[in-house]
Structure formats: C-alpha cells, structure tokens
Amino acid sequence: MSLIRSSLLVGLGSVASRILGFGRDILFAQVLGAGPVADAFLAAFRLPNLVRRIVGEGGLNPALVPALSRLEPGEAARVAGDVVSVFALGLLALSGLVEIGAGLLAFVLAPGLVDDGGTLALVALYTRLGFPMVLGVTLSSVAAALLNLRGRYGAAAFAPLIVNGGLIAVAVALEAGSTLPLPEKAAWLAAAASLAGLLQLAAMAAALPWGEGRMIAFRVPRPSPLVKSLLLAGFPALVASGAVQLFVLVGTQIASFWPSGVSWLYYADRVMQLPLGLMAAFAASVLLPQLALKHRAGEDEAVVAAQNRALELALFLALPAAAALVVLAWPIASVLFARGAFTQADAAGTARVLACLSLGLPFATVAKVLSQTLFARNHLRATLVAALIGIAVTAAASLLLAPAFGVAGIALGISLGCFAQAGVLVGSLRRLGLWSPDAALAGRAVRIACASTVMGLGLAAAAALVPRADAVVLAALCLGGLVLYGAAARLTGALTRDDIALLAKKA
C-alpha cells in the first residue's frame, strides 16, 4: 500500500476517533460542568485515558515493530503470544494494585484537592471504576502493532471508536432521562469506560487471523532474552510516545490547586490533541515500520530523507492548526462546551488555556516524527531522556508561570516542555549523524510558515467582524480558514503536485 493511502486510512480512523472524542467531551461538559465533581472525574479519567491515547497512537509500536520485523512469521507469532500473555498478567496485577491503592493514587493525580476530602474520595472511586479500561486498550494496541507490521491498518485505525462511541451512548442516556445526582452520573461514565475498553479488545481479537498465517501463537510464556528486551523496551517507548500526555498530566497535578483548573486544562487539551493525534497515528503506524525496514537494510540516507519528508508533512499540518487554534480559541471553547452545567466563564478560562497550549503544537508534532527515527534505530534511551527533560521543563515552567497567569501559565509551561523535548531529540539525532535537514525541508518550512501567517491574519480579521459565534459561524470560520490556507499554500509553493506524487510513491 502506498504511503499516502496508508496515511489516509490511518488519518481517517484518527480523525473519526477525535470527532467522536469531541462529541464525548461536549457531553461530559454538558453533563458534569466544570465544578468539583467534574474535576474529580476528569482527574481520575486522566490516567486511563492517557494510557489509551499513548497505546492508541501506536505507543507500543516502537518496541514491537522493529523487533518482530526481524523474525520469521512463525517465531514472530510465538514471541507475540509470549508478550501478550506477560502483558495480560502484568496488567491484571497492576489493576489489582490500583483498586487497593486508589486513595493514594487520587492524591498523586490531584494533590490540590486534598483540602476537599469529599472530592478526593470521588477521584479514588472513579479511578477504581475506570482503570480496568487500561487492560483492554493496552492489549488491543499489541494486536494493532501486529496488524500494522503486516500492512493491515483498517481494524487498528477504527477499533478505538468503540470506546468513544460507548461513552457517548452512556452520556446521552444520562443526560436524556436521568435525574441522578452528578456524582452518580460520573460513576456510571467511569464504569462505562472500562466496559468499552474490553469491547475494543474483543473487536481487535476478532480482526486477527487465527488460522493459517496467524499473528499470535499462545504457549506457556518463555522468559527469553528477546521477550525480556521487548518488555524492557516497552517502558521507555511508552514514556517517549506519550510525552505530551505526560506533560499534560504534570500540568493537571499543578492545575488541581486552581478552581476548575483540571477541567479547563482537560477540555483545552482535547481540542489540541486533534491535529497532534493525527500526526502521532501516522508516525507510529505508517512512518515507523518504513523507517525500521530502511534501517534494517542499512539505508541511512533513505532514513534521513524519509524523516525530512515526514517533517514537511508534520509542519504542513501543525503550523496552520496552531495558528487557527490560537486565533479561534474563544469561539471554539464557547461553541463546543458552553452549555448545560458548563458556563461562559468556564469557556473563557478554557479558551485562554487552549491558546497557550496550542503554541507548543508544532514542537510536539515535530518531536513525534523525530522520535520515530530513534525508535527505528532502537535508541530508546535517547527518546526517554528527551521526554524526561520535557517533563522537568514543564514542571518548572508551570510552577513559575502559574502564580502570574493561572491555568494559562501552566499551559505555557506545557508548551515549553514540548519545545525542550524537540530540542533534545534534534541534539540526539545530530550526534548519531541522522540530522541533516536539506534545502527542500528548509524552503518548505518557510513557505508553510508564510501560508499559515496569511491564514491566521485572515481568520483574526474575520473573527473580529463576528459579534457572537455560534456553530454555523465557527464552521464557516474553519472552512474559510482551510480554503485560505490551501490557496496560500498553493501560491507560496508550500503544496505542489510533485509533493503529492512523492508521498504516493510506493513504500
């Protein structure tokens, strides 16, 4: 399958998941608002949803794909079976520990709620109900990695829709005819998340071939050196793949000291994750397997060339998206979330956070691409170091900026963490001789920046003329911005027919 066709399939699944995610979060805001119950639920939901985002965007692919691609199909199936068995046992044990220690975990997730014992107790309850989702989505991601390795992207791209679809169904039911108090509504949503995660696992299991050409062969797990190396590689791969989510998790801990801070940051992050998640899914599901094959063949020049072209695609998506989110932060927050229990004041706070958070989007997207080259070369330690430095910068910057700017200052700290991570990754690639941006990349980056600036100025002028934004106005602004960016990109040369032909070239 060609690179562009694979990218479109993965992108379609990712966009569909994000659209359902928007619908889910709109209903969350409508049902729960942004008060103490919402903060408790979203703080508890942050951890399983973080795992879901990481593994759903191919977080385990860096550990599994390069190693399994070097094995014969039969041995790869047996090793995959060992990995699934060990993961399943480990996740069951972890779930048991979380159920027992949910109170302590609640304090770690939202230390700012410690003064309100009732709210912190709700965090613990919702953590117990929602954490089993991790078991389903993690094992589903192992199956997705195997399918991606064989060039089969459909099931892996669309199975994650089950979680969001299930949560939407429950939220609609709760909002339509239920008179339950808010704490009980949140409890039903947390339990529904776990059930939906197990349904996703069932769907992925059904998508795997179990007869001739099977991808998983179960046996008594053998602690072979390869399995041990895969499990050891899994942790740094997950940390590196989910770096931005970890930055937001650190920000959430600090935001819990501000009223409604957890909710504002959650909803702003959900909007920002739409373009970032699209690039992450492409990088892990399509780009990484291609880089691994080129590395295996010893084609370093081809690896660098593929990295440069992927950076062009990343910038082509991220720069206009960041500009649009900064300019349209207020109408987006108001139209999407300001209804039911979610007030206009909450929308204003979310808009400020979204604008600051979006400044880090280009750096986060670039880091997604650069990480794949290190993953393909099995330099997981370098990606782990970059993620840890980003976490440290996020924490330090957020603590410094929050007293002056509130939750928006925490969002700025997260953006600085994204910048730091990208910078460390560039340094690592330079030391390995794998950082060589060519003239085509430099020229394209300038043209994309110019086209994004034109679009941003046009959107700002149009938004200033609108007295009050509603769904129709927001849709018109988004469509107009897309058309303007497309025209500017074509006029500046940021997008040409040759580019499309290059992306369509057979991998």
Side-chain angles (χ1 to χ4, degrees):
M1 184 179 289
S2 69
L3 182 61
I4 194 168
R5 289 175 60 194
S6 303
S7 303
L8 288 174
L9 182 61
V10 172
L12 180 61
S14 181
V15 169
S17 179
R18 290 330 184 268
I19 290 174
L20 283 182
F22 274 140
R24 178 200 72 190
D25 292 328
I26 289 170
L27 287 168
F28 281 178
Q30 184 172 344
V31 172
L32 302 178
V37 173
D39 279 357
F41 172 76
L42 295 176
F45 190 59
R46 172 68 68 184
L47 185 59
N49 199 45
L50 180 148
V51 175
R52 176 177 173 266
R53 287 187 196 176
I54 294 174
V55 299
E57 294 169 358
L60 287 174
N61 287 20
L64 293 174
V65 170
L68 295 179
S69 66
R70 294 190 290 266
L71 302 177
E72 295 298 325
E75 181 62 18
R78 288 188 289 272
V79 172
D82 292 344
V83 171
V84 170
S85 299
V86 172
F87 261 103
L89 293 173
L91 288 168
L92 285 173
L94 178 61
S95 297
L97 291 175
V98 169
E99 298 301 316
I100 296 172
L104 178 61
L105 184 58
F107 172 74
V108 173
L109 292 172
L113 300 179
V114 68
D115 292 334
D116 188 345
T119 303
L120 200 64
L122 288 177
V123 177
L125 172 63
Y126 302 149
T127 298
R128 291 189 174 98
L129 291 173
F131 190 81
M133 180 178 74
V134 171
L135 174 66
V137 299
T138 303
L139 295 180
S140 295
S141 73
V142 177
L146 298 175
L147 291 169
N148 291 338
L149 186 60
R150 298 281 185 91
R152 301 170 64 174
Y153 302 105
F158 292 100
L161 302 181
I162 294 173
V163 173
N164 284 335
L167 285 170
I168 286 174
V170 173
V172 169
L174 290 173
E175 183 66 10
S178 175
T179 57
L180 292 174
L182 285 182
E184 293 186 25
K185 289 183 178 181
W188 277 105
L189 288 171
S194 292
L195 177 60
L198 297 177
L199 290 175
Q200 179 183 337
L201 175 59
M204 287 302 300
L208 289 169
W210 294 100
E212 184 177 354
R214 60 182 176 174
M215 299 178 185
I216 298 180
F218 289 107
R219 61 185 179 183
V220 177
R222 300 180 180 180
S224 65
L226 179 56
V227 172
K228 291 180 181 179
S229 66
L230 283 173
L231 295 176
L232 290 174
F235 175 73
L238 286 174
V239 171
S241 297
V244 177
Q245 286 83 4
L246 292 173
F247 301 164
V248 176
L249 178 62
V250 171
T252 299
Q253 294 173 306
I254 300 172
S256 66
F257 290 92
W258 273 259
S260 300
V262 173
S263 299
W264 293 354
L265 183 57
Y266 174 85
Y267 292 117
D269 174 54
R270 292 298 297 141
V271 176
M272 194 267 284
Q273 285 292 332
L274 176 60
L276 180 59
L278 176 63
M279 193 63 215
F282 158 74
S285 300
V286 180
L287 179 61
L288 175 60
Q290 301 305 320
L291 290 175
L293 291 174
K294 295 180 189 301
H295 168 61
R296 182 182 179 186
E299 302 173 357
D300 284 355
E301 292 184 2
V303 169
V304 174
Q307 175 181 270
N308 287 337
R309 302 293 76 78
L311 284 171
E312 291 177 6
L313 177 60
L315 293 173
F316 187 80
L317 292 173
L319 284 179
L325 291 177
V326 170
V327 173
L328 300 180
W330 162 246
I332 288 173
S334 177
V335 171
L336 290 182
F337 304 120
R339 59 178 55 82
F342 202 89
T343 67
Q344 288 291 335
D346 293 322
T350 302
R352 291 191 296 271
V353 175
L354 175 58
C356 295
L357 201 60
S358 299
L359 296 176
L361 176 59
F363 305 110
T365 308
V366 166
K368 289 288 185 183
V369 173
L370 299 181
S371 296
Q372 306 311 308
T373 304
L374 293 168
F375 288 151
R377 295 289 293 264
N378 205 31
H379 287 289
L380 297 178
R381 182 178 178 182
T383 60
L384 177 62
V385 169
L388 293 177
I389 290 177
I391 290 173
V393 170
T394 296
S398 297
L399 290 172
L400 288 173
L401 295 171
F405 302 103
V407 187
I410 298 172
L412 286 174
I414 295 170
S415 293
L416 289 173
C418 295
F419 173 77
Q421 182 201 15
V424 174
L425 289 173
V426 168
S428 298
L429 290 170
R430 189 187 299 276
R431 286 191 295 273
L432 294 170
L434 295 173
W435 175 251
S436 182
D438 52 24
L441 172 59
R444 186 66 51 81
V446 172
R447 292 191 290 271
I448 291 172
C450 291
S452 300
T453 300
V454 170
M455 182 209 67
L457 293 174
L459 279 177
L465 298 176
V466 178
R468 180 179 177 275
D470 54 24
V472 175
V473 170
L474 178 60
L477 288 171
C478 292
L479 181 60
L482 181 62
V483 172
L484 181 58
Y485 177 66
R490 193 62 188 273
L491 288 174
T492 59
L495 180 65
T496 67
R497 292 182 179 178
D498 291 339
D499 302 327
I500 297 176
L502 178 63
L503 287 173
K505 184 179 179 181
K506 293 291 182 178

